Amino acid sequence: MHLKTKQIEALDDRYRALFINALSGFKSANMIASCDQKKNTNIAIFTSVFHIGSNPPLLGMISRPHSVSRDTLENILEIQHYTINHANESICEKAHQTSARYDKKTSEFKATGLSEEWHDNFPAPFVKESRIQLGMELREHHQLAANNTIMIIGEITYINIKDDIVHQDGYVDIEKSGSIAVSSLDSYHRTDLITQLSYAKPEKLSEQINHRKK
């Protein structure tokens, strides 16, 4: 298959959405939980969370254009806090269902059967069934000129993760946590570690291989 700009633009809308979304490969499956000032809660699955920096600990994500009501975005802008919760295999279908367009009065927690969890007076809810939970504080948001999507940048200010998932060197065992990945818009995958390599240096590749013992 060889496609140029005009051919890509001519694709059926649904076909193009599935096709283009698949081209970037596997993505993380994160449930973004938020609430407004009245504690009306919301969850939506996002596959656009990405690392920005470790000091300070910053993560970015992309929200669709704010041309219609976007409960997650509006809640984040209102209370300046939200949470990122890894989806796992046991809640895969429920996590996917949060992508449905419920009205603002309907909490996805109740609609999907997921459980609210609140930690240490953090202003936004966490997803109880998630094994890696991150509390975020909004730092910046920008509308991107290319397609009017909104880039949200948040700082990790709270972490809830099982001790046995984190190795002594700080490595987080994603497989042990059960976190899943997404391809395209609606396909979910287990992950499987192939190998872990040492920090890359200008020396022979064979000298850098360092398999992690489980």
Side-chain angles (χ1 to χ4, degrees):
M1 181 184 289
H2 298 273
L3 302 175
K4 295 184 177 181
T5 300
K6 289 185 178 180
Q7 295 166 308
I8 296 171
E9 292 174 346
L11 295 173
D12 172 79
D13 287 349
R14 180 61 180 169
Y15 180 98
R16 183 171 60 243
L18 286 170
F19 179 61
I20 298 300
N21 268 277
L23 297 181
S24 61
F26 294 121
K27 297 163 283 190
S28 57
N30 291 290
M31 296 169 289
I32 308 302
S34 62
C35 66
D36 60 20
Q37 291 182 348
K38 296 180 180 179
K39 299 295 184 183
N40 296 311
T41 58
N42 174 271
I43 318 174
I45 190 165
F46 276 66
T47 61
S48 62
V49 174
F50 54 93
H51 172 82
I52 292 180
S54 299
N55 187 24
L58 300 176
L59 297 176
M61 67 181 194
I62 301 296
S63 173
R64 291 177 180 175
H66 200 192
S67 54
V68 298
S69 179
R70 302 288 183 198
D71 294 341
T72 297
L73 175 62
E74 291 165 10
N75 287 345
I76 291 172
L77 296 179
E78 183 174 333
I79 73 163
Q80 305 284 295
H81 290 83
Y82 56 102
T83 69
I84 298 176
N85 306 266
H86 284 213
N88 55 64
E89 188 175 356
S90 68
I91 55 171
C92 178
E93 293 183 1
K94 293 179 179 180
H96 180 73
Q97 185 61 29
T98 65
S99 64
R101 292 188 179 183
Y102 295 99
D103 62 66
K104 187 172 178 61
K105 295 181 180 179
T106 302
S107 171
E108 286 81 1
F109 279 105
K110 293 182 179 179
T112 64
L114 292 166
S115 307
E116 291 181 25
E117 188 168 52
W118 300 82
H119 293 306
D120 298 325
N121 297 315
F122 193 82
F126 296 83
V127 179
K128 184 176 182 179
E129 293 83 358
S130 177
R131 296 164 190 153
I132 298 179
Q133 305 172 339
L134 307 175
M136 309 295 298
E137 185 170 351
L138 180 65
R139 287 291 176 253
E140 301 178 32
H141 68 283
H142 305 277
Q143 181 172 304
L144 304 183
N147 62 356
N148 294 322
T149 55
I150 310 298
M151 182 171 65
I152 298 166
I153 299 173
E155 180 176 350
I156 303 171
T157 60
Y158 187 94
I159 300 171
N160 183 38
I161 184 172
K162 299 291 185 183
D163 290 343
D164 62 354
I165 292 175
V166 184
H167 291 206
Q168 289 185 348
D169 61 359
Y171 172 78
V172 177
D173 194 332
I174 298 297
E175 285 76 25
K176 192 170 186 178
S177 75
S179 298
I180 56 178
V182 179
S183 65
S184 193
L185 293 172
D186 53 12
S187 298
Y188 295 84
H189 307 261
R190 301 182 187 93
T191 62
D192 184 23
L193 179 68
I194 299 171
T195 186
Q196 185 184 32
L197 305 178
S198 62
Y199 188 82
K201 299 178 181 179
E203 56 193 38
K204 291 182 179 180
L205 178 62
S206 60
E207 296 175 1
Q208 297 181 33
I209 297 177
N210 177 26
H211 291 273
R212 176 173 297 278
K213 296 180 180 180
K214 292 190 175 182

